[in-house]
Amino acid sequence: MLSIIIPTYNESNNIFLLIEMLEEELSLKHEIIVVDDNSPDGTATIVKQLSKKYDNIKLVQRKKKEGLSSAIVAGVTIASGDILVMDADLSHPPNVIPSMLSALNKSDLVIGSRMLKEAGVENWPFHRKLISKGAELLARILLGVNSSDPLSGFFAIKKDIFKKTKIRTKGYKILLNILADNPNLNVKEVPYTFKDRHAGKTKLNYSEILNFLFDIVRIKFS
Ligand SMILES: Nc1nc2c(ncn2[C@@H]2O[C@H](COP(=O)(O)OP(=O)(O)OP(=O)(O)O)[C@@H](O)[C@H]2O)c(=O)[nH]1
Ligand SMILES: [Mg+2]
């Protein structure tokens, strides 16, 4: 069983399409756990409607926007299987999930990587690439992580290893926390092409960038 955790904040124009794609394309046994932070655009209502059609959907509704990391932790607490984390905005292609799951059968952690051969990033403007590269460099220097894409938001992990890790990050980069705390994990990487978000606005703003810097300090010193 694979528990697919999808954190959402204002993803009403993406979540329907993503869940339909997952349900149609995945033949492996899975559940879908959406963790929504009371999105004003009605994301949760769409998920509730879909859960009438599919019986493998769980919805966690939080009262307010509390950040991506704690949304993932909340999802894991009700997960029945091993964990796969993905964004709601169709940046992470569902058809890569079967290869990630088979890699997870032989490892502790599988990272969907944009940096391997046969992988990449489509349609990202220069400034997004720059922010991403700068953040990656900081993480490598300050935390000593060495996988090809340590900032990926698309990863799969054995549930017991996730639960053993003390998550201190608040914002986006929960994977960094996991990598920095568990240097001896058996990690595999699977290439994929990251697509720019399908619809809706980015939640990556200055405060998230600041949050990222605090998160690095939290990982290193607490
Ligand atoms: N529950 C919850 N989900 C969040 C929060 N912040 C972001 N998300 C979700 O986390 C995922 C990643 O956020 P994105 O805004 O796509 O971040 P990004 O991919 O770096 O940037 P863009 O794709 O350009 O917007 C999406 O599914 C968001 O809806 C939050 O505070 N709470
Ligand atoms: Mg995105």
Side-chain angles (χ1 to χ4, degrees), residues 105-135:
N105 289 332
K106 293 169 240 120
S107 64
D108 303 315
L109 168 68
V110 179
I111 304 176
S113 172
R114 300 161 287 186
M115 309 297 173
L116 300 174
K117 240 169 73 185
E118 297 155 30
V121 175
E122 261 176 24
N123 299 333
W124 250 13
F126 178 72
H127 75 276
R128 279 304 296 270
K129 287 190 181 148
L130 197 68
I131 293 171
S132 180
K133 271 288 157 205

PDB file of all heavy atoms in Angstrom, residues 105-135:
ATOM      1  N   ASN A 105      11.086  -0.238  -2.838  1.00  0.00           N
ATOM      2  CA  ASN A 105      11.140  -1.617  -2.335  1.00  0.00           C
ATOM      3  C   ASN A 105      12.563  -2.049  -2.039  1.00  0.00           C
ATOM      4  O   ASN A 105      12.785  -2.963  -1.256  1.00  0.00           O
ATOM      5  CB  ASN A 105      10.506  -2.586  -3.349  1.00  0.00           C
ATOM      6  CG  ASN A 105       9.004  -2.402  -3.406  1.00  0.00           C
ATOM      7  OD1 ASN A 105       8.393  -1.989  -2.421  1.00  0.00           O
ATOM      8  ND2 ASN A 105       8.406  -2.680  -4.562  1.00  0.00           N
ATOM      9  N   LYS A 106      13.546  -1.379  -2.669  1.00  0.00           N
ATOM     10  CA  LYS A 106      14.949  -1.751  -2.456  1.00  0.00           C
ATOM     11  C   LYS A 106      15.730  -0.657  -1.753  1.00  0.00           C
ATOM     12  O   LYS A 106      16.958  -0.607  -1.840  1.00  0.00           O
ATOM     13  CB  LYS A 106      15.597  -2.052  -3.817  1.00  0.00           C
ATOM     14  CG  LYS A 106      15.041  -3.292  -4.485  1.00  0.00           C
ATOM     15  CD  LYS A 106      15.493  -3.411  -5.932  1.00  0.00           C
ATOM     16  CE  LYS A 106      14.321  -3.426  -6.904  1.00  0.00           C
ATOM     17  NZ  LYS A 106      14.252  -2.397  -7.897  1.00  0.00           N
ATOM     18  N   SER A 107      15.050   0.291  -1.116  1.00  0.00           N
ATOM     19  CA  SER A 107      15.764   1.390  -0.461  1.00  0.00           C
ATOM     20  C   SER A 107      14.914   1.973   0.667  1.00  0.00           C
ATOM     21  O   SER A 107      13.814   1.498   0.939  1.00  0.00           O
ATOM     22  CB  SER A 107      16.097   2.477  -1.490  1.00  0.00           C
ATOM     23  OG  SER A 107      14.891   3.023  -1.989  1.00  0.00           O
ATOM     24  N   ASP A 108      15.445   3.033   1.313  1.00  0.00           N
ATOM     25  CA  ASP A 108      14.712   3.685   2.405  1.00  0.00           C
ATOM     26  C   ASP A 108      13.982   4.931   1.903  1.00  0.00           C
ATOM     27  O   ASP A 108      12.958   5.330   2.441  1.00  0.00           O
ATOM     28  CB  ASP A 108      15.684   4.164   3.496  1.00  0.00           C
ATOM     29  CG  ASP A 108      16.521   3.035   4.048  1.00  0.00           C
ATOM     30  OD1 ASP A 108      15.934   1.963   4.315  1.00  0.00           O
ATOM     31  OD2 ASP A 108      17.747   3.212   4.215  1.00  0.00           O
ATOM     32  N   LEU A 109      14.595   5.575   0.898  1.00  0.00           N
ATOM     33  CA  LEU A 109      14.105   6.878   0.451  1.00  0.00           C
ATOM     34  C   LEU A 109      14.348   6.990  -1.057  1.00  0.00           C
ATOM     35  O   LEU A 109      15.433   6.650  -1.532  1.00  0.00           O
ATOM     36  CB  LEU A 109      14.891   7.980   1.186  1.00  0.00           C
ATOM     37  CG  LEU A 109      14.759   9.419   0.703  1.00  0.00           C
ATOM     38  CD1 LEU A 109      13.357   9.959   0.953  1.00  0.00           C
ATOM     39  CD2 LEU A 109      15.776  10.322   1.415  1.00  0.00           C
ATOM     40  N   VAL A 110      13.350   7.441  -1.777  1.00  0.00           N
ATOM     41  CA  VAL A 110      13.504   7.649  -3.224  1.00  0.00           C
ATOM     42  C   VAL A 110      13.201   9.109  -3.540  1.00  0.00           C
ATOM     43  O   VAL A 110      12.129   9.617  -3.193  1.00  0.00           O
ATOM     44  CB  VAL A 110      12.543   6.748  -4.027  1.00  0.00           C
ATOM     45  CG1 VAL A 110      12.710   6.994  -5.520  1.00  0.00           C
ATOM     46  CG2 VAL A 110      12.788   5.285  -3.705  1.00  0.00           C
ATOM     47  N   ILE A 111      14.143   9.755  -4.203  1.00  0.00           N
ATOM     48  CA  ILE A 111      13.952  11.167  -4.546  1.00  0.00           C
ATOM     49  C   ILE A 111      13.629  11.286  -6.027  1.00  0.00           C
ATOM     50  O   ILE A 111      14.374  10.797  -6.877  1.00  0.00           O
ATOM     51  CB  ILE A 111      15.223  11.978  -4.221  1.00  0.00           C
ATOM     52  CG1 ILE A 111      15.604  11.807  -2.749  1.00  0.00           C
ATOM     53  CG2 ILE A 111      15.028  13.459  -4.561  1.00  0.00           C
ATOM     54  CD1 ILE A 111      16.895  12.496  -2.360  1.00  0.00           C
ATOM     55  N   GLY A 112      12.513  11.941  -6.345  1.00  0.00           N
ATOM     56  CA  GLY A 112      12.239  12.308  -7.725  1.00  0.00           C
ATOM     57  C   GLY A 112      13.175  13.470  -8.046  1.00  0.00           C
ATOM     58  O   GLY A 112      13.088  14.526  -7.429  1.00  0.00           O
ATOM     59  N   SER A 113      14.087  13.242  -8.992  1.00  0.00           N
ATOM     60  CA  SER A 113      15.139  14.243  -9.226  1.00  0.00           C
ATOM     61  C   SER A 113      15.002  14.930 -10.577  1.00  0.00           C
ATOM     62  O   SER A 113      14.807  14.280 -11.606  1.00  0.00           O
ATOM     63  CB  SER A 113      16.514  13.572  -9.149  1.00  0.00           C
ATOM     64  OG  SER A 113      17.510  14.486  -9.565  1.00  0.00           O
ATOM     65  N   ARG A 114      15.123  16.273 -10.532  1.00  0.00           N
ATOM     66  CA  ARG A 114      15.091  17.080 -11.759  1.00  0.00           C
ATOM     67  C   ARG A 114      16.475  17.245 -12.362  1.00  0.00           C
ATOM     68  O   ARG A 114      16.645  17.904 -13.375  1.00  0.00           O
ATOM     69  CB  ARG A 114      14.548  18.481 -11.439  1.00  0.00           C
ATOM     70  CG  ARG A 114      13.164  18.493 -10.884  1.00  0.00           C
ATOM     71  CD  ARG A 114      12.847  19.787 -10.162  1.00  0.00           C
ATOM     72  NE  ARG A 114      13.544  19.879  -8.887  1.00  0.00           N
ATOM     73  CZ  ARG A 114      13.357  20.841  -7.997  1.00  0.00           C
ATOM     74  NH1 ARG A 114      12.523  21.824  -8.249  1.00  0.00           N
ATOM     75  NH2 ARG A 114      14.018  20.845  -6.849  1.00  0.00           N
ATOM     76  N   MET A 115      17.481  16.695 -11.684  1.00  0.00           N
ATOM     77  CA  MET A 115      18.858  17.005 -12.060  1.00  0.00           C
ATOM     78  C   MET A 115      19.590  15.858 -12.752  1.00  0.00           C
ATOM     79  O   MET A 115      20.731  16.011 -13.152  1.00  0.00           O
ATOM     80  CB  MET A 115      19.666  17.391 -10.802  1.00  0.00           C
ATOM     81  CG  MET A 115      19.022  18.454  -9.947  1.00  0.00           C
ATOM     82  SD  MET A 115      18.855  20.023 -10.841  1.00  0.00           S
ATOM     83  CE  MET A 115      17.891  20.955  -9.659  1.00  0.00           C
ATOM     84  N   LEU A 116      18.970  14.698 -12.863  1.00  0.00           N
ATOM     85  CA  LEU A 116      19.654  13.573 -13.489  1.00  0.00           C
ATOM     86  C   LEU A 116      19.557  13.688 -15.005  1.00  0.00           C
ATOM     87  O   LEU A 116      18.776  14.484 -15.533  1.00  0.00           O
ATOM     88  CB  LEU A 116      18.995  12.259 -13.054  1.00  0.00           C
ATOM     89  CG  LEU A 116      19.001  11.951 -11.563  1.00  0.00           C
ATOM     90  CD1 LEU A 116      18.175  10.702 -11.289  1.00  0.00           C
ATOM     91  CD2 LEU A 116      20.427  11.757 -11.060  1.00  0.00           C
ATOM     92  N   LYS A 117      20.347  12.830 -15.694  1.00  0.00           N
ATOM     93  CA  LYS A 117      20.181  12.726 -17.143  1.00  0.00           C
ATOM     94  C   LYS A 117      18.746  12.286 -17.415  1.00  0.00           C
ATOM     95  O   LYS A 117      18.163  11.547 -16.627  1.00  0.00           O
ATOM     96  CB  LYS A 117      21.148  11.660 -17.680  1.00  0.00           C
ATOM     97  CG  LYS A 117      22.123  12.244 -18.698  1.00  0.00           C
ATOM     98  CD  LYS A 117      23.239  11.318 -19.035  1.00  0.00           C
ATOM     99  CE  LYS A 117      22.807  10.147 -19.902  1.00  0.00           C
ATOM    100  NZ  LYS A 117      23.890   9.182 -20.126  1.00  0.00           N
ATOM    101  N   GLU A 118      18.172  12.705 -18.482  1.00  0.00           N
ATOM    102  CA  GLU A 118      16.775  12.396 -18.842  1.00  0.00           C
ATOM    103  C   GLU A 118      15.768  13.106 -17.935  1.00  0.00           C
ATOM    104  O   GLU A 118      14.596  12.766 -17.911  1.00  0.00           O
ATOM    105  CB  GLU A 118      16.469  10.891 -18.773  1.00  0.00           C
ATOM    106  CG  GLU A 118      17.253  10.055 -19.744  1.00  0.00           C
ATOM    107  CD  GLU A 118      17.381   8.622 -19.261  1.00  0.00           C
ATOM    108  OE1 GLU A 118      16.483   8.148 -18.569  1.00  0.00           O
ATOM    109  OE2 GLU A 118      18.405   8.011 -19.582  1.00  0.00           O
ATOM    110  N   ALA A 119      16.244  14.076 -17.132  1.00  0.00           N
ATOM    111  CA  ALA A 119      15.323  14.826 -16.280  1.00  0.00           C
ATOM    112  C   ALA A 119      15.439  16.301 -16.632  1.00  0.00           C
ATOM    113  O   ALA A 119      16.188  16.674 -17.533  1.00  0.00           O
ATOM    114  CB  ALA A 119      15.675  14.603 -14.816  1.00  0.00           C
ATOM    115  N   GLY A 120      14.697  17.152 -15.923  1.00  0.00           N
ATOM    116  CA  GLY A 120      14.835  18.583 -16.194  1.00  0.00           C
ATOM    117  C   GLY A 120      13.710  19.393 -15.601  1.00  0.00           C
ATOM    118  O   GLY A 120      12.881  18.900 -14.841  1.00  0.00           O
ATOM    119  N   VAL A 121      13.729  20.686 -15.954  1.00  0.00           N
ATOM    120  CA  VAL A 121      12.695  21.610 -15.510  1.00  0.00           C
ATOM    121  C   VAL A 121      12.166  22.322 -16.747  1.00  0.00           C
ATOM    122  O   VAL A 121      12.942  22.867 -17.530  1.00  0.00           O
ATOM    123  CB  VAL A 121      13.271  22.660 -14.527  1.00  0.00           C
ATOM    124  CG1 VAL A 121      12.209  23.688 -14.165  1.00  0.00           C
ATOM    125  CG2 VAL A 121      13.817  21.998 -13.270  1.00  0.00           C
ATOM    126  N   GLU A 122      10.846  22.269 -16.941  1.00  0.00           N
ATOM    127  CA  GLU A 122      10.253  22.920 -18.126  1.00  0.00           C
ATOM    128  C   GLU A 122       9.684  24.278 -17.763  1.00  0.00           C
ATOM    129  O   GLU A 122       8.974  24.403 -16.759  1.00  0.00           O
ATOM    130  CB  GLU A 122       9.078  22.064 -18.623  1.00  0.00           C
ATOM    131  CG  GLU A 122       9.434  21.173 -19.784  1.00  0.00           C
ATOM    132  CD  GLU A 122       8.268  20.276 -20.174  1.00  0.00           C
ATOM    133  OE1 GLU A 122       7.106  20.620 -19.883  1.00  0.00           O
ATOM    134  OE2 GLU A 122       8.556  19.227 -20.745  1.00  0.00           O
ATOM    135  N   ASN A 123       9.952  25.269 -18.574  1.00  0.00           N
ATOM    136  CA  ASN A 123       9.280  26.578 -18.466  1.00  0.00           C
ATOM    137  C   ASN A 123       9.527  27.353 -17.187  1.00  0.00           C
ATOM    138  O   ASN A 123       8.674  28.114 -16.764  1.00  0.00           O
ATOM    139  CB  ASN A 123       7.747  26.432 -18.606  1.00  0.00           C
ATOM    140  CG  ASN A 123       7.379  25.862 -19.947  1.00  0.00           C
ATOM    141  OD1 ASN A 123       8.116  26.032 -20.918  1.00  0.00           O
ATOM    142  ND2 ASN A 123       6.255  25.176 -20.010  1.00  0.00           N
ATOM    143  N   TRP A 124      10.631  27.135 -16.534  1.00  0.00           N
ATOM    144  CA  TRP A 124      10.893  27.959 -15.359  1.00  0.00           C
ATOM    145  C   TRP A 124      11.618  29.220 -15.776  1.00  0.00           C
ATOM    146  O   TRP A 124      12.610  29.148 -16.515  1.00  0.00           O
ATOM    147  CB  TRP A 124      11.752  27.186 -14.353  1.00  0.00           C
ATOM    148  CG  TRP A 124      11.000  26.813 -13.114  1.00  0.00           C
ATOM    149  CD1 TRP A 124       9.667  26.866 -12.929  1.00  0.00           C
ATOM    150  CD2 TRP A 124      11.572  26.335 -11.881  1.00  0.00           C
ATOM    151  NE1 TRP A 124       9.360  26.432 -11.668  1.00  0.00           N
ATOM    152  CE2 TRP A 124      10.490  26.114 -11.004  1.00  0.00           C
ATOM    153  CE3 TRP A 124      12.867  26.085 -11.456  1.00  0.00           C
ATOM    154  CZ2 TRP A 124      10.692  25.644  -9.717  1.00  0.00           C
ATOM    155  CZ3 TRP A 124      13.056  25.606 -10.179  1.00  0.00           C
ATOM    156  CH2 TRP A 124      11.974  25.399  -9.314  1.00  0.00           C
ATOM    157  N   PRO A 125      11.164  30.393 -15.341  1.00  0.00           N
ATOM    158  CA  PRO A 125      11.893  31.611 -15.679  1.00  0.00           C
ATOM    159  C   PRO A 125      13.255  31.618 -14.979  1.00  0.00           C
ATOM    160  O   PRO A 125      13.459  30.900 -13.985  1.00  0.00           O
ATOM    161  CB  PRO A 125      10.995  32.722 -15.138  1.00  0.00           C
ATOM    162  CG  PRO A 125      10.085  32.091 -14.161  1.00  0.00           C
ATOM    163  CD  PRO A 125       9.979  30.639 -14.518  1.00  0.00           C
ATOM    164  N   PHE A 126      14.135  32.456 -15.509  1.00  0.00           N
ATOM    165  CA  PHE A 126      15.513  32.499 -15.007  1.00  0.00           C
ATOM    166  C   PHE A 126      15.568  32.708 -13.496  1.00  0.00           C
ATOM    167  O   PHE A 126      16.314  32.044 -12.780  1.00  0.00           O
ATOM    168  CB  PHE A 126      16.283  33.603 -15.740  1.00  0.00           C
ATOM    169  CG  PHE A 126      17.694  33.752 -15.241  1.00  0.00           C
ATOM    170  CD1 PHE A 126      18.656  32.789 -15.539  1.00  0.00           C
ATOM    171  CD2 PHE A 126      18.069  34.852 -14.469  1.00  0.00           C
ATOM    172  CE1 PHE A 126      19.957  32.910 -15.076  1.00  0.00           C
ATOM    173  CE2 PHE A 126      19.365  34.985 -14.001  1.00  0.00           C
ATOM    174  CZ  PHE A 126      20.310  34.011 -14.307  1.00  0.00           C
ATOM    175  N   HIS A 127      14.714  33.628 -12.953  1.00  0.00           N
ATOM    176  CA  HIS A 127      14.832  33.936 -11.523  1.00  0.00           C
ATOM    177  C   HIS A 127      14.447  32.743 -10.647  1.00  0.00           C
ATOM    178  O   HIS A 127      15.003  32.552  -9.575  1.00  0.00           O
ATOM    179  CB  HIS A 127      14.010  35.190 -11.154  1.00  0.00           C
ATOM    180  CG  HIS A 127      12.532  34.972 -11.083  1.00  0.00           C
ATOM    181  ND1 HIS A 127      11.713  35.012 -12.181  1.00  0.00           N
ATOM    182  CD2 HIS A 127      11.730  34.697 -10.031  1.00  0.00           C
ATOM    183  CE1 HIS A 127      10.458  34.778 -11.801  1.00  0.00           C
ATOM    184  NE2 HIS A 127      10.442  34.586 -10.499  1.00  0.00           N
ATOM    185  N   ARG A 128      13.518  31.880 -11.145  1.00  0.00           N
ATOM    186  CA  ARG A 128      13.170  30.695 -10.359  1.00  0.00           C
ATOM    187  C   ARG A 128      14.330  29.697 -10.325  1.00  0.00           C
ATOM    188  O   ARG A 128      14.605  29.064  -9.316  1.00  0.00           O
ATOM    189  CB  ARG A 128      11.932  29.993 -10.936  1.00  0.00           C
ATOM    190  CG  ARG A 128      10.610  30.597 -10.547  1.00  0.00           C
ATOM    191  CD  ARG A 128      10.418  30.694  -9.049  1.00  0.00           C
ATOM    192  NE  ARG A 128      10.368  29.423  -8.343  1.00  0.00           N
ATOM    193  CZ  ARG A 128       9.280  28.716  -8.101  1.00  0.00           C
ATOM    194  NH1 ARG A 128       8.132  29.167  -8.504  1.00  0.00           N
ATOM    195  NH2 ARG A 128       9.341  27.575  -7.454  1.00  0.00           N
ATOM    196  N   LYS A 129      15.009  29.586 -11.475  1.00  0.00           N
ATOM    197  CA  LYS A 129      16.169  28.682 -11.520  1.00  0.00           C
ATOM    198  C   LYS A 129      17.255  29.183 -10.580  1.00  0.00           C
ATOM    199  O   LYS A 129      17.912  28.402  -9.880  1.00  0.00           O
ATOM    200  CB  LYS A 129      16.716  28.585 -12.949  1.00  0.00           C
ATOM    201  CG  LYS A 129      15.815  27.778 -13.850  1.00  0.00           C
ATOM    202  CD  LYS A 129      16.487  27.490 -15.181  1.00  0.00           C
ATOM    203  CE  LYS A 129      15.550  26.703 -16.085  1.00  0.00           C
ATOM    204  NZ  LYS A 129      15.693  26.974 -17.483  1.00  0.00           N
ATOM    205  N   LEU A 130      17.410  30.511 -10.567  1.00  0.00           N
ATOM    206  CA  LEU A 130      18.452  31.116  -9.719  1.00  0.00           C
ATOM    207  C   LEU A 130      18.145  30.882  -8.233  1.00  0.00           C
ATOM    208  O   LEU A 130      19.022  30.469  -7.466  1.00  0.00           O
ATOM    209  CB  LEU A 130      18.513  32.620 -10.021  1.00  0.00           C
ATOM    210  CG  LEU A 130      19.774  33.337  -9.556  1.00  0.00           C
ATOM    211  CD1 LEU A 130      20.970  32.865 -10.372  1.00  0.00           C
ATOM    212  CD2 LEU A 130      19.614  34.854  -9.712  1.00  0.00           C
ATOM    213  N   ILE A 131      16.888  31.111  -7.835  1.00  0.00           N
ATOM    214  CA  ILE A 131      16.492  30.895  -6.433  1.00  0.00           C
ATOM    215  C   ILE A 131      16.738  29.434  -6.068  1.00  0.00           C
ATOM    216  O   ILE A 131      17.302  29.110  -5.010  1.00  0.00           O
ATOM    217  CB  ILE A 131      14.986  31.239  -6.215  1.00  0.00           C
ATOM    218  CG1 ILE A 131      14.745  32.737  -6.403  1.00  0.00           C
ATOM    219  CG2 ILE A 131      14.522  30.803  -4.828  1.00  0.00           C
ATOM    220  CD1 ILE A 131      13.279  33.146  -6.419  1.00  0.00           C
ATOM    221  N   SER A 132      16.353  28.539  -6.961  1.00  0.00           N
ATOM    222  CA  SER A 132      16.478  27.115  -6.686  1.00  0.00           C
ATOM    223  C   SER A 132      17.947  26.705  -6.555  1.00  0.00           C
ATOM    224  O   SER A 132      18.328  25.978  -5.628  1.00  0.00           O
ATOM    225  CB  SER A 132      15.781  26.358  -7.818  1.00  0.00           C
ATOM    226  OG  SER A 132      15.863  24.993  -7.602  1.00  0.00           O
ATOM    227  N   LYS A 133      18.785  27.190  -7.469  1.00  0.00           N
ATOM    228  CA  LYS A 133      20.216  26.838  -7.431  1.00  0.00           C
ATOM    229  C   LYS A 133      20.888  27.408  -6.188  1.00  0.00           C
ATOM    230  O   LYS A 133      21.710  26.751  -5.541  1.00  0.00           O
ATOM    231  CB  LYS A 133      20.924  27.367  -8.688  1.00  0.00           C
ATOM    232  CG  LYS A 133      20.904  26.410  -9.840  1.00  0.00           C
ATOM    233  CD  LYS A 133      21.843  25.214  -9.602  1.00  0.00           C
ATOM    234  CE  LYS A 133      21.429  24.016 -10.452  1.00  0.00           C
ATOM    235  NZ  LYS A 133      21.814  22.716  -9.949  1.00  0.00           N
ATOM    236  N   GLY A 134      20.520  28.657  -5.834  1.00  0.00           N
ATOM    237  CA  GLY A 134      21.099  29.300  -4.649  1.00  0.00           C
ATOM    238  C   GLY A 134      20.733  28.523  -3.393  1.00  0.00           C
ATOM    239  O   GLY A 134      21.588  28.244  -2.527  1.00  0.00           O
ATOM    240  N   ALA A 135      19.467  28.126  -3.294  1.00  0.00           N
ATOM    241  CA  ALA A 135      19.006  27.379  -2.128  1.00  0.00           C
ATOM    242  C   ALA A 135      19.713  26.030  -2.052  1.00  0.00           C
ATOM    243  O   ALA A 135      20.130  25.581  -0.975  1.00  0.00           O
ATOM    244  CB  ALA A 135      17.494  27.185  -2.215  1.00  0.00           C
TER     245      ALA A 135
END
